[in-house]
Amino acid sequence: MALSLFKSLMIPKTASVYPLKWRNRLYALVALVFLSVIIIVLASSIGSTQVPFSTVWGILLDRLPLVNLNPARESVTETIVADIRLPRVILASLVGAALAVAGATYQGLFRNPLADPYLIGVAQGAALGATIGFLLPLRVTSLEVVPVFAFCGALLAVAIVYSIARVGKTLPITTLILAGVALGAFLASITSYLIIASGDRLHGIISWLLGRFSLSNWGQVTAVTPYILMGVAVIWLYARPLNIIQLDEEQAQQLGIDVERVKLMLLVAATLITAAAVSFCGTIGFVGIIVPHAIRLLWGPDYRFLLPLSTFAGAILLVLADTTARTILAPAEIPVGVITAFLGAPFFLYLLRQKKRAIF
Amino acid sequence: MFNLRLDKISLGYGDRTVLKNISLEVEPRQMVGIIGPNGCGKSTLIKGITRLISWRSGNIFADGKSIARLSRSDLARLIAVVPQNAFLPDLFTAFEVVLMGRTPHLGYFRYESHKDITITKRAMEVTQTIALAERRIGELSGGEKQRVTIARALAQEPKVILLDEPTAHLDINYQIEILDLVRNLCQERGLVTIIALHDLNLAAQYCGRLILLHKGRVYRQGTPQEVIDAQTIKEVYGAQVMVCPHPINELPATFVVPGGLTRTKEEVKPIG
């Protein structure tokens, strides 16, 4: 399995017989990988204390084993970059990647261009979990309790939706979406009530709901990385079955795909990475729905390219958005969800204008 | 010789039995047409053979071995289906769709080799879709899409091909094109071919053997001459028609007679 994942990224030996489009997509992927690294370093250099680009490279390379540049640097600079900015930037890139991949997966799984990672109750479950976390009487630990509650709330909500929608051995997609929307509305109404009743803790809840990275640290990165890496890897592996499911379920079965198994695997993986992504930073909108569509418009619908391309594009978009969010009104911060839509929507509308053919 | 044998197969949805005790044996290079009124179970039979609907009773044998316990991909290497009005996603290219036919040979995680690309290209040449390879599905006509679907079935390299109304909603030139293609493939590749058709004239012209389904059973089967006659059509469809020999090849040609319904609408219900 690891081998095929690796192979999917290599230019095949027989590349000459493959369509030209495939090679263009591979070049795009390589370019996006490089770009995301550069954006991560650049974002770590920008902020209230400007750190030169080259210094950030030095600090980063120094952290690698066997590298010792040993330059004369102020330890304050190093702390700002390595312990404050970098975890935040890395977390933003992980969350962006997770949301974009989950969005692409849900759109494919549901064969619905309107699907986003929050369609079947993840967001509302996480929001209710987080709100309960904020309101618990044990105030001292609310920062640690909230992510756990959000994560569990998200998973619980999807599990309920899944068990309601399941009919015997099959999972009808339309029922799943409707159950998700209905349960989501129910949970959201409870959350709204709790927020109104919350009094002085209103601000914390609202800021979580709108999405924020201001409290990031390496602990959070360590906590979410395994879920996101594992989930994204599983989804990448299922790229080809996901392509076949774009036909319809009967044709996919007639082409040898065990559709119910593929649906379950993808649903679990996408839900897990979404839950991990929202647990610390709140429900950041827009990335999950727009990034896969933009990639589809630019490089086509083949999930073997769409998923890796969305991963890196999602990371880039969210790092850019978060950097903007923390610098534009510094020292104040804007919720990152506000920026994703403000940056992403005009770009997406531009793409829509450029390509007037079918988009899904 | 390879053959496909249905042994007293019964199929249905929920409480409703659609087909009862259907037995049938088909050999390669033979084009077998399934005909019958709407709701008689033509599509159900095709879905049943690929196990999209589980069987109530009976068994199906390919080359003497039951297909009841084959995995999905083993089954797809054996039997390819050209579904009725197959949905194809607009953004994929024709090549990408035909390449999907290689799925049962690859499993979930392996990627296509040079060999798969070659087989795909050959399937597109045979079906004359190679010129469309880089075009998106959304830009193709109904007839072109149908040929792409047939190319995809060929890329599966099956022993059996099932076609559900491949000419539905197509103009007469595409009807001829598609059926000529299917007949050639059936002969040249030695495919077991079962084709559901609602057009009696096309069925008579292209299929050496016809199965007429009515009230959940095989009402009549045999050569077109044995199956299609005015009396049988009246019994099964409740329509008054004239059946005359085709001027070129003497096969039965059916002519409608306006106002020639012999049953009122309430009587013409699908069986339940």
Side-chain angles (χ1 to χ4, degrees):
Chain A
M1 271 173 45
L3 185 69
S4 68
L5 187 68
F6 179 66
K7 263 169 109 180
S8 71
L9 293 176
M10 276 192 341
I11 297 179
K13 266 184 286 181
T14 49
S16 59
V17 299
Y18 288 80
L20 204 59
K21 284 200 175 100
W22 290 18
R23 265 181 289 167
N24 290 343
R25 291 168 188 174
L26 274 170
Y27 297 148
L29 182 55
V30 173
L32 279 184
V33 173
F34 276 110
L35 192 61
S36 54
V37 173
I38 290 170
I39 297 269
I40 284 174
V41 176
L42 202 59
S44 309
S45 80
I46 297 171
S48 52
T49 313
Q50 290 289 346
V51 182
F53 194 56
S54 54
T55 312
V56 177
W57 275 114
I59 292 169
L60 291 184
L61 288 175
D62 246 4
R63 298 261 150 160
L64 296 176
L66 303 176
V67 180
N68 195 359
L69 301 170
N70 201 20
R73 260 199 312 266
E74 282 180 58
S75 62
V76 181
T77 313
E78 185 147 351
T79 306
I80 288 175
V81 172
D83 294 331
I84 297 176
R85 284 192 200 151
L86 199 58
R88 178 172 185 156
V89 171
I90 299 279
L91 191 65
S93 67
L94 282 170
V95 168
L99 291 178
V101 169
T105 308
Y106 281 135
Q107 286 165 11
L109 210 51
F110 302 153
R111 291 183 295 281
N112 187 336
L114 293 176
D116 78 352
Y118 309 135
L119 186 66
I120 51 169
V122 172
Q124 295 86 347
L128 182 56
T131 308
I132 292 172
F134 273 111
L135 295 179
L136 280 183
L138 16 119
R139 295 185 66 171
V140 270
T141 55
S142 85
L143 274 185
E144 276 136 43
V145 162
V146 166
V148 176
F149 271 65
F151 185 73
C152 296
L155 294 189
L156 206 61
V158 175
I160 293 170
V161 168
Y162 178 83
S163 60
I164 290 172
R166 195 168 170 83
V167 181
K169 283 181 184 168
T170 64
L171 183 66
I173 289 299
T174 316
T175 320
L176 187 71
I177 296 176
L178 289 176
V181 170
L183 186 78
F186 177 69
L187 297 181
S189 72
I190 299 176
T191 308
S192 302
Y193 171 76
L194 291 178
I195 290 173
I196 298 300
S198 68
D200 59 332
R201 270 163 287 184
L202 183 84
H203 186 76
I205 299 175
I206 296 287
S207 119
W208 185 92
L209 288 178
L210 286 171
R212 51 146 170 62
F213 287 103
S214 51
L215 304 166
S216 311
N217 58 46
W218 282 116
Q220 299 182 358
V221 174
T222 322
V224 299
T225 303
Y227 295 107
I228 293 181
L229 284 190
M230 258 170 36
V232 170
V234 167
I235 293 172
W236 280 21
L237 276 173
Y238 274 89
R240 221 164 49 80
L242 196 50
N243 270 344
I244 312 291
I245 288 183
Q246 299 317 295
L247 298 164
D248 55 44
E249 291 187 8
E250 289 195 349
Q251 289 185 75
Q253 281 180 302
Q254 287 166 339
L255 286 168
I257 298 288
D258 183 347
V259 172
E260 295 304 327
R261 180 187 141 194
V262 171
K263 277 198 289 196
L264 183 60
M265 287 300 292
L266 288 173
L267 202 61
V268 169
T271 301
L272 209 56
I273 62 176
T274 311
V278 300
S279 59
F280 286 108
C281 335
T283 50
I284 296 162
F286 205 68
V287 180
I289 190 160
I290 242 60
V291 169
H293 279 303
I295 301 294
R296 224 179 253 114
L297 279 171
L298 289 168
W299 291 293
D302 186 337
Y303 273 87
R304 289 176 298 179
F305 298 97
L306 179 59
L307 291 171
L309 287 168
S310 298
T311 308
F312 293 101
I316 292 170
L317 175 64
L318 205 51
V319 171
L320 285 178
D322 179 51
T323 308
T324 313
R326 69 185 159 86
T327 50
I328 201 165
L329 284 183
E333 288 208 11
I334 304 169
V336 68
V338 175
I339 304 291
T340 48
F342 190 77
L343 274 182
F347 173 65
F348 185 68
L349 291 173
Y350 164 77
L351 284 180
L352 277 183
R353 229 12 241 155
Q354 291 290 303
K355 314 247 176 180
K356 285 183 181 161
R357 56 161 187 256
I359 62 153
F360 189 71
Chain B
M1 192 163 60
F2 177 87
N3 72 352
L4 184 76
R5 187 159 62 86
L6 277 64
D7 185 28
K8 292 188 186 146
I9 203 89
S10 295
L11 299 164
Y13 305 91
D15 299 333
R16 199 162 67 91
T17 303
V18 179
L19 292 170
K20 273 169 267 165
N21 292 327
I22 304 290
S23 291
L24 180 66
E25 200 167 334
V26 191
E27 285 174 356
R29 295 187 178 76
Q30 200 180 17
M31 238 168 108
V32 173
I34 310 285
I35 54 173
N38 291 337
C40 73
K42 297 188 289 275
S43 298
T44 306
L45 183 61
I46 283 177
K47 286 180 184 174
I49 296 175
T50 49
R51 297 204 336 239
L52 287 185
I53 304 167
S54 45
W55 314 330
R56 295 283 166 79
S57 61
N59 208 336
I60 297 178
F61 300 93
D63 220 3
K65 289 187 275 289
S66 171
I67 64 165
R69 298 201 178 281
L70 288 184
S71 73
R72 276 261 154 242
S73 50
D74 285 342
L75 194 61
R77 279 197 294 272
L78 198 65
I79 304 174
V81 183
V82 177
Q84 185 172 10
N85 303 324
F87 169 79
L88 304 178
D90 282 348
L91 280 189
F92 281 87
T93 64
F95 181 82
E96 286 170 331
V97 168
V98 179
L99 195 58
M100 289 180 184
R102 298 304 297 160
T103 305
H105 297 269
L106 291 167
Y108 288 15
F109 306 127
R110 245 173 67 204
Y111 282 72
E112 297 87 354
S113 66
H114 195 142
K115 184 186 156 211
D116 298 303
I117 305 276
T118 312
I119 291 168
T120 301
K121 287 193 169 166
R122 200 172 303 147
M124 298 191 82
E125 277 157 16
V126 174
T127 52
Q128 293 177 13
T129 48
I130 193 78
L132 312 172
E134 294 292 306
R135 297 255 301 274
R136 285 170 194 273
I137 294 298
E139 302 163 11
L140 303 184
S141 72
E144 288 169 335
K145 277 191 215 174
Q146 194 61 270
R147 278 187 291 154
V148 167
T149 316
I150 294 173
R152 189 185 73 199
L154 287 183
Q156 279 176 257
E157 298 191 300
K159 293 212 163 74
V160 179
I161 185 166
L162 310 175
L163 302 101
D164 192 0
E165 299 277 7
T167 56
H169 311 300
L170 294 184
D171 288 334
I172 199 159
N173 52 329
Y174 287 127
Q175 295 182 1
I176 296 169
E177 183 182 78
I178 296 291
L179 289 175
D180 278 350
L181 171 65
V182 172
R183 183 165 64 184
N184 289 342
L185 293 171
C186 167
Q187 310 267 318
E188 284 162 20
R189 303 214 166 190
L191 290 171
V192 167
T193 309
I194 298 175
I195 179 165
L197 286 168
H198 73 270
D199 187 313
L200 298 175
N201 287 322
L202 289 175
Q205 286 299 316
Y206 282 93
C207 301
R209 188 164 145 222
L210 292 178
I211 315 285
L212 176 58
L213 296 179
H214 183 46
K215 294 193 170 165
R217 294 175 190 281
V218 175
Y219 191 79
R220 189 157 298 181
Q221 65 170 312
T223 62
Q225 286 93 338
E226 288 165 346
V227 174
I228 299 179
D229 58 61
Q231 182 56 35
T232 309
I233 301 302
K234 192 171 147 191
E235 287 163 16
V236 172
Y237 290 85
Q240 186 74 53
V241 297
M242 275 179 65
V243 177
C244 306
H246 189 283
I248 293 175
N249 52 27
E250 305 283 306
L251 289 164
T254 308
F255 296 92
V256 295
V257 179
L261 273 188
T262 58
R263 280 187 278 181
T264 58
K265 269 185 186 159
E266 290 81 65
E267 286 171 319
V268 192
K269 270 185 195 158
I271 55 141

Short mmCIF file of all heavy atoms in Angstrom, two decimals, chain B residues 28-60:
data_model
loop_
_atom_site.label_atom_id
_atom_site.label_comp_id
_atom_site.label_asym_id
_atom_site.label_seq_id
_atom_site.Cartn_x
_atom_site.Cartn_y
_atom_site.Cartn_z
N PRO B 28 -20.92 -18.44 -26.81
CA PRO B 28 -20.22 -17.34 -27.47
C PRO B 28 -20.67 -17.18 -28.92
O PRO B 28 -21.15 -18.12 -29.54
CB PRO B 28 -18.75 -17.74 -27.40
CG PRO B 28 -18.67 -18.71 -26.30
CD PRO B 28 -19.97 -19.41 -26.26
N ARG B 29 -20.46 -16.01 -29.45
CA ARG B 29 -20.79 -15.66 -30.84
C ARG B 29 -22.28 -15.68 -31.11
O ARG B 29 -22.71 -15.64 -32.23
CB ARG B 29 -20.07 -16.56 -31.84
CG ARG B 29 -18.57 -16.38 -31.79
CD ARG B 29 -17.83 -17.13 -32.86
NE ARG B 29 -16.41 -16.82 -32.71
CZ ARG B 29 -15.65 -17.35 -31.76
NH1 ARG B 29 -16.15 -18.22 -30.92
NH2 ARG B 29 -14.38 -17.01 -31.67
N GLN B 30 -23.06 -15.78 -30.06
CA GLN B 30 -24.50 -15.80 -30.23
C GLN B 30 -25.03 -14.51 -29.63
O GLN B 30 -24.65 -14.13 -28.53
CB GLN B 30 -25.04 -16.99 -29.45
CG GLN B 30 -26.40 -17.45 -29.87
CD GLN B 30 -26.86 -18.63 -29.03
OE1 GLN B 30 -26.31 -18.91 -27.97
NE2 GLN B 30 -27.86 -19.32 -29.52
N MET B 31 -25.87 -13.80 -30.39
CA MET B 31 -26.46 -12.59 -29.83
C MET B 31 -27.87 -12.92 -29.40
O MET B 31 -28.73 -13.23 -30.23
CB MET B 31 -26.46 -11.48 -30.88
CG MET B 31 -25.70 -10.26 -30.41
SD MET B 31 -25.40 -9.12 -31.72
CE MET B 31 -26.52 -7.82 -31.30
N VAL B 32 -28.08 -12.88 -28.09
CA VAL B 32 -29.40 -13.23 -27.58
C VAL B 32 -30.12 -11.95 -27.19
O VAL B 32 -29.60 -11.15 -26.42
CB VAL B 32 -29.25 -14.16 -26.36
CG1 VAL B 32 -30.60 -14.41 -25.71
CG2 VAL B 32 -28.63 -15.47 -26.80
N GLY B 33 -31.30 -11.76 -27.75
CA GLY B 33 -32.08 -10.56 -27.45
C GLY B 33 -33.14 -10.86 -26.42
O GLY B 33 -33.83 -11.87 -26.50
N ILE B 34 -33.24 -9.96 -25.40
CA ILE B 34 -34.31 -10.08 -24.42
C ILE B 34 -35.36 -9.04 -24.80
O ILE B 34 -35.07 -7.84 -24.86
CB ILE B 34 -33.81 -9.77 -22.99
CG1 ILE B 34 -32.55 -10.56 -22.66
CG2 ILE B 34 -34.91 -9.99 -21.97
CD1 ILE B 34 -32.76 -12.00 -22.37
N ILE B 35 -36.58 -9.48 -25.10
CA ILE B 35 -37.63 -8.53 -25.42
C ILE B 35 -38.82 -8.75 -24.50
O ILE B 35 -38.90 -9.76 -23.80
CB ILE B 35 -38.07 -8.65 -26.91
CG1 ILE B 35 -38.46 -10.09 -27.23
CG2 ILE B 35 -36.97 -8.18 -27.84
CD1 ILE B 35 -39.06 -10.27 -28.62
N GLY B 36 -39.73 -7.80 -24.51
CA GLY B 36 -40.90 -7.90 -23.66
C GLY B 36 -41.39 -6.50 -23.32
O GLY B 36 -40.64 -5.54 -23.45
N PRO B 37 -42.62 -6.38 -22.85
CA PRO B 37 -43.17 -5.05 -22.57
C PRO B 37 -42.44 -4.37 -21.40
O PRO B 37 -41.76 -5.04 -20.63
CB PRO B 37 -44.63 -5.33 -22.17
CG PRO B 37 -44.85 -6.78 -22.34
CD PRO B 37 -43.55 -7.46 -22.54
N ASN B 38 -42.62 -3.05 -21.28
CA ASN B 38 -42.02 -2.31 -20.16
C ASN B 38 -42.41 -2.97 -18.85
O ASN B 38 -43.56 -3.34 -18.65
CB ASN B 38 -42.53 -0.87 -20.14
CG ASN B 38 -41.99 -0.08 -21.32
OD1 ASN B 38 -40.97 -0.44 -21.88
ND2 ASN B 38 -42.69 0.97 -21.68
N GLY B 39 -41.45 -3.12 -17.97
CA GLY B 39 -41.75 -3.71 -16.67
C GLY B 39 -41.75 -5.22 -16.66
O GLY B 39 -42.07 -5.83 -15.65
N CYS B 40 -41.38 -5.84 -17.78
CA CYS B 40 -41.40 -7.31 -17.82
C CYS B 40 -40.17 -7.90 -17.16
O CYS B 40 -40.10 -9.09 -16.91
CB CYS B 40 -41.49 -7.81 -19.25
SG CYS B 40 -39.96 -7.60 -20.19
N GLY B 41 -39.17 -7.07 -16.88
CA GLY B 41 -38.00 -7.56 -16.14
C GLY B 41 -36.74 -7.68 -16.97
O GLY B 41 -35.82 -8.40 -16.58
N LYS B 42 -36.66 -6.96 -18.09
CA LYS B 42 -35.45 -7.02 -18.92
C LYS B 42 -34.24 -6.49 -18.13
O LYS B 42 -33.21 -7.16 -18.01
CB LYS B 42 -35.60 -6.17 -20.20
CG LYS B 42 -36.71 -6.66 -21.12
CD LYS B 42 -36.68 -5.92 -22.46
CE LYS B 42 -37.10 -4.46 -22.38
NZ LYS B 42 -38.56 -4.26 -22.45
N SER B 43 -34.39 -5.28 -17.58
CA SER B 43 -33.28 -4.70 -16.80
C SER B 43 -33.02 -5.51 -15.54
O SER B 43 -31.87 -5.69 -15.13
CB SER B 43 -33.61 -3.26 -16.40
OG SER B 43 -33.78 -2.47 -17.54
N THR B 44 -34.10 -5.99 -14.92
CA THR B 44 -33.95 -6.79 -13.70
C THR B 44 -33.09 -8.02 -13.97
O THR B 44 -32.23 -8.38 -13.17
CB THR B 44 -35.33 -7.23 -13.19
OG1 THR B 44 -36.13 -6.06 -13.03
CG2 THR B 44 -35.23 -7.97 -11.88
N LEU B 45 -33.32 -8.64 -15.13
CA LEU B 45 -32.55 -9.84 -15.47
C LEU B 45 -31.06 -9.49 -15.57
O LEU B 45 -30.20 -10.20 -15.05
CB LEU B 45 -33.07 -10.43 -16.78
CG LEU B 45 -32.40 -11.74 -17.21
CD1 LEU B 45 -32.63 -12.83 -16.17
CD2 LEU B 45 -32.93 -12.19 -18.56
N ILE B 46 -30.79 -8.36 -16.25
CA ILE B 46 -29.38 -7.97 -16.41
C ILE B 46 -28.74 -7.64 -15.06
O ILE B 46 -27.62 -8.03 -14.77
CB ILE B 46 -29.29 -6.81 -17.42
CG1 ILE B 46 -29.46 -7.40 -18.83
CG2 ILE B 46 -27.97 -6.05 -17.29
CD1 ILE B 46 -29.47 -6.41 -19.94
N LYS B 47 -29.50 -6.93 -14.21
CA LYS B 47 -28.96 -6.64 -12.87
C LYS B 47 -28.78 -7.91 -12.06
O LYS B 47 -27.86 -8.02 -11.25
CB LYS B 47 -29.88 -5.67 -12.13
CG LYS B 47 -29.78 -4.27 -12.68
CD LYS B 47 -30.68 -3.31 -11.94
CE LYS B 47 -30.61 -1.94 -12.59
NZ LYS B 47 -31.58 -1.02 -12.00
N GLY B 48 -29.68 -8.86 -12.27
CA GLY B 48 -29.59 -10.13 -11.54
C GLY B 48 -28.34 -10.91 -11.93
O GLY B 48 -27.67 -11.49 -11.08
N ILE B 49 -28.03 -10.90 -13.23
CA ILE B 49 -26.86 -11.67 -13.68
C ILE B 49 -25.57 -11.09 -13.10
O ILE B 49 -24.62 -11.81 -12.83
CB ILE B 49 -26.81 -11.72 -15.23
CG1 ILE B 49 -28.03 -12.46 -15.77
CG2 ILE B 49 -25.54 -12.42 -15.72
CD1 ILE B 49 -28.15 -12.46 -17.27
N THR B 50 -25.53 -9.77 -12.86
CA THR B 50 -24.33 -9.18 -12.24
C THR B 50 -24.48 -9.05 -10.73
O THR B 50 -23.71 -8.35 -10.09
CB THR B 50 -24.01 -7.79 -12.82
OG1 THR B 50 -25.20 -7.02 -12.82
CG2 THR B 50 -23.47 -7.89 -14.22
N ARG B 51 -25.49 -9.68 -10.18
CA ARG B 51 -25.70 -9.71 -8.73
C ARG B 51 -25.91 -8.34 -8.10
O ARG B 51 -25.61 -8.14 -6.92
CB ARG B 51 -24.54 -10.42 -8.03
CG ARG B 51 -24.39 -11.87 -8.40
CD ARG B 51 -23.66 -12.67 -7.33
NE ARG B 51 -22.80 -11.89 -6.47
CZ ARG B 51 -21.49 -12.07 -6.33
NH1 ARG B 51 -20.89 -13.04 -6.98
NH2 ARG B 51 -20.79 -11.32 -5.53
N LEU B 52 -26.42 -7.39 -8.87
CA LEU B 52 -26.80 -6.12 -8.23
C LEU B 52 -28.07 -6.36 -7.43
O LEU B 52 -28.37 -5.63 -6.48
CB LEU B 52 -27.05 -5.04 -9.29
CG LEU B 52 -25.83 -4.46 -9.97
CD1 LEU B 52 -26.21 -3.32 -10.88
CD2 LEU B 52 -24.80 -3.99 -8.97
N ILE B 53 -28.85 -7.36 -7.85
CA ILE B 53 -30.02 -7.79 -7.10
C ILE B 53 -29.71 -9.22 -6.67
O ILE B 53 -29.26 -10.02 -7.49
CB ILE B 53 -31.27 -7.81 -7.99
CG1 ILE B 53 -31.48 -6.44 -8.64
CG2 ILE B 53 -32.49 -8.25 -7.23
CD1 ILE B 53 -32.49 -6.49 -9.75
N SER B 54 -29.94 -9.51 -5.38
CA SER B 54 -29.61 -10.88 -4.98
C SER B 54 -30.74 -11.82 -5.42
O SER B 54 -31.90 -11.43 -5.48
CB SER B 54 -29.37 -10.97 -3.48
OG SER B 54 -30.36 -10.25 -2.80
N TRP B 55 -30.37 -13.04 -5.71
CA TRP B 55 -31.31 -14.00 -6.26
C TRP B 55 -32.22 -14.56 -5.18
O TRP B 55 -31.78 -14.86 -4.09
CB TRP B 55 -30.56 -15.15 -6.94
CG TRP B 55 -29.45 -14.72 -7.83
CD1 TRP B 55 -29.37 -13.55 -8.53
CD2 TRP B 55 -28.23 -15.43 -8.10
NE1 TRP B 55 -28.21 -13.49 -9.23
CE2 TRP B 55 -27.49 -14.62 -9.00
CE3 TRP B 55 -27.72 -16.66 -7.72
CZ2 TRP B 55 -26.24 -15.01 -9.49
CZ3 TRP B 55 -26.49 -17.05 -8.21
CH2 TRP B 55 -25.75 -16.23 -9.08
N ARG B 56 -33.51 -14.75 -5.54
CA ARG B 56 -34.43 -15.43 -4.63
C ARG B 56 -34.10 -16.93 -4.60
O ARG B 56 -34.10 -17.56 -3.57
CB ARG B 56 -35.88 -15.26 -5.11
CG ARG B 56 -36.38 -13.84 -5.08
CD ARG B 56 -36.71 -13.49 -3.63
NE ARG B 56 -36.87 -12.06 -3.47
CZ ARG B 56 -37.97 -11.40 -3.82
NH1 ARG B 56 -39.00 -12.04 -4.34
NH2 ARG B 56 -38.04 -10.10 -3.66
N SER B 57 -33.90 -17.48 -5.77
CA SER B 57 -33.56 -18.90 -5.86
C SER B 57 -32.89 -19.14 -7.20
O SER B 57 -32.83 -18.25 -8.03
CB SER B 57 -34.83 -19.75 -5.74
OG SER B 57 -35.69 -19.43 -6.81
N GLY B 58 -32.38 -20.34 -7.39
CA GLY B 58 -31.72 -20.68 -8.63
C GLY B 58 -30.25 -20.35 -8.57
O GLY B 58 -29.72 -19.95 -7.52
N ASN B 59 -29.57 -20.52 -9.70
CA ASN B 59 -28.14 -20.30 -9.72
C ASN B 59 -27.73 -19.90 -11.14
O ASN B 59 -28.47 -20.12 -12.09
CB ASN B 59 -27.40 -21.57 -9.30
CG ASN B 59 -26.06 -21.27 -8.67
OD1 ASN B 59 -25.48 -20.21 -8.92
ND2 ASN B 59 -25.57 -22.19 -7.87
N ILE B 60 -26.56 -19.28 -11.25
CA ILE B 60 -26.03 -18.92 -12.56
C ILE B 60 -24.62 -19.50 -12.67
O ILE B 60 -23.83 -19.38 -11.73
CB ILE B 60 -26.00 -17.38 -12.75
CG1 ILE B 60 -27.43 -16.84 -12.71
CG2 ILE B 60 -25.33 -17.02 -14.07
CD1 ILE B 60 -27.52 -15.33 -12.84
#
